[in-house]
Amino acid sequence: MNRIVAPYITMWSAEQDVPCRVIERPGRGIGYVNEILTDRDARGVLWRQTTGRQGLGRPEFGKVHPLRQRQAMDRLLCQVCGGPADETQEGVLFLLRDFRDDWPRWPEGMGSTEPPVCLRCVALSLRLCPALRRGAVAIRVREFPIAGVRGTLYRHGLLSPVTDRAVNMPYDDPAVRWVLASALIRELRNCAIVPFEEIALTPVG
């Protein structure tokens, strides 16, 4: 395996948003002026379009590439290396910030934009990710339906649609037609926390 410089879903400085003008489509929400088929997902939601130049320039660790995040969540790929995520009879492996104080049985029922991971990349993530160093939990998830998108909600404007706010929007909400999506959400169900001692933390170099 090649040395991982940045997670698979991370944006690089050479990658930029494609300039697409958002317009209102009466009765159908928002769209692009020169829209093509691949601008929307299989459920008809419009997506932010970003060039794909992974590995060029420098990694921008605070930013996530919309298409690679969507691919990783849709295909259950490791968010770090882009290979298949670890899956056993106990479920798919996710590595999350520890928010167990947020509500009882966390993260049961949570909508997550964090793709899963493979065993090989757990140790690397714990070592290099500042957020995870503040507290992380490994979780096996048995049910993980695609639930919706995270993105920018638009509303009707005088001349053209205007941005409203950032939202997490379920696919079954009619307002999702007004969202410009940037991340795919899976709902985590039937979750079990896995002690790190039970995971073979294979270093990646």
Side-chain angles (χ1 to χ4, degrees):
M1 175 183 285
N2 294 331
R3 180 174 178 269
I4 294 174
V5 177
Y8 171 72
I9 64 173
T10 296
M11 284 269 290
W12 287 73
S13 58
E15 297 178 312
Q16 305 293 328
D17 285 343
V18 177
C20 299
R21 187 160 74 89
V22 176
I23 61 173
E24 181 176 347
R25 298 195 180 279
R28 294 186 292 157
I30 58 170
Y32 290 137
V33 172
N34 299 310
E35 189 175 314
I36 59 176
L37 187 62
T38 53
D39 288 335
R40 294 182 183 270
D41 62 24
R43 296 165 181 82
V45 173
L46 192 68
W47 277 75
R48 196 177 108 212
Q49 298 303 308
T50 305
T51 58
R53 297 188 178 118
Q54 186 180 14
L56 296 180
R58 64 184 184 282
E60 300 189 332
F61 293 103
K63 299 180 180 179
V64 172
H65 191 278
L67 179 58
R68 291 197 293 274
Q69 187 275 349
R70 178 176 153 197
Q71 290 173 335
M73 283 297 255
D74 186 47
R75 302 174 189 174
L76 295 176
L77 304 179
C78 174
Q79 64 169 291
V80 181
C81 69
D86 187 71
E87 184 172 8
T88 68
Q89 291 183 341
E90 301 304 314
V92 173
L93 184 64
F94 286 78
L95 187 62
L96 305 175
R97 281 281 312 276
D98 188 351
F99 289 114
R100 280 176 283 186
D101 292 337
D102 279 12
W103 74 81
R105 300 184 66 228
W106 177 94
E108 191 68 34
M110 181 181 79
S112 177
T113 60
E114 293 291 334
V117 293
C118 69
L119 283 177
R120 183 175 173 84
C121 290
V122 171
L124 180 68
S125 300
L126 293 174
R127 187 171 76 249
L128 298 182
C129 178
L132 293 179
R133 285 202 299 267
R134 293 195 291 270
V137 180
I139 297 169
R140 290 283 183 188
V141 184
R142 293 188 182 219
E143 300 175 58
F144 31 81
I146 292 174
V149 293
R150 173 175 294 174
T152 302
L153 179 66
Y154 280 72
R155 57 182 172 81
H156 177 77
L158 185 60
L159 299 177
S160 62
V162 293
T163 58
D164 190 327
R165 64 187 187 279
V167 293
N168 290 346
M169 186 74 69
Y171 273 116
D172 59 5
D173 190 323
V176 77
R177 298 176 301 171
W178 287 85
V179 174
L180 181 61
S182 57
L184 191 63
I185 297 174
R186 282 188 182 270
E187 183 180 347
L188 308 185
R189 303 176 184 167
N190 204 342
C191 305
I193 293 175
V194 182
F196 285 119
E197 299 76 39
E198 296 181 12
I199 298 177
L201 297 180
T202 306
V204 178

